Amino acid sequence: MKKFFKALKRIIVLAFVITFFIYSATTVFKQQMILKQVKAQQREVIVQIERIKKENEYLKRLAQYVGTKDYIQQVAREKLGLVGKDEIVFIDKNKKKKE
């Protein structure tokens, strides 16, 4: 009977150890999958940050340009149709006919 309990004890310990290793392996696998997802998200965020930095730099340069005399002249020409003192305006009659 003592041998039976010894064998039963070994089987229980072995079952516990096997269960522990299976649980540990499953946990490590799940964590690796989560880690891959987080790294992919991190790469996406880094790309977005770089894109936003470039856009921010463009907007800073645009904000500086908006306050210049060149920008005011450009808007006056394009939007308002104004010309400078010494400039001559040429009108293409053919262009109007085609439109």
Side-chain angles (χ1 to χ4, degrees), residues 22-36:
I22 290 173
Y23 173 77
S24 298
T26 305
T27 303
V28 168
F29 179 74
K30 287 179 182 178
Q31 288 177 349
Q32 289 296 324
M33 296 301 292
I34 291 171
L35 184 61
K36 284 182 183 179

Side-chain angles (χ1 to χ4, degrees), residues 42-56:
Q42 182 183 21
R43 285 190 296 270
E44 289 176 18
V45 169
I46 289 171
V47 168
Q48 287 177 351
I49 289 171
E50 291 302 318
R51 182 181 48 81
I52 291 172
K53 282 181 180 178
K54 288 178 183 177
E55 183 179 349
N56 191 23

Side-chain angles (χ1 to χ4, degrees), residues 1-16:
M1 192 74 167
K2 210 173 190 182
K3 288 184 181 181
F4 175 74
F5 284 120
K6 253 186 177 180
L8 183 63
K9 185 177 176 183
R10 286 183 182 168
I11 291 173
I12 291 173
V13 169
L14 183 63
F16 176 76

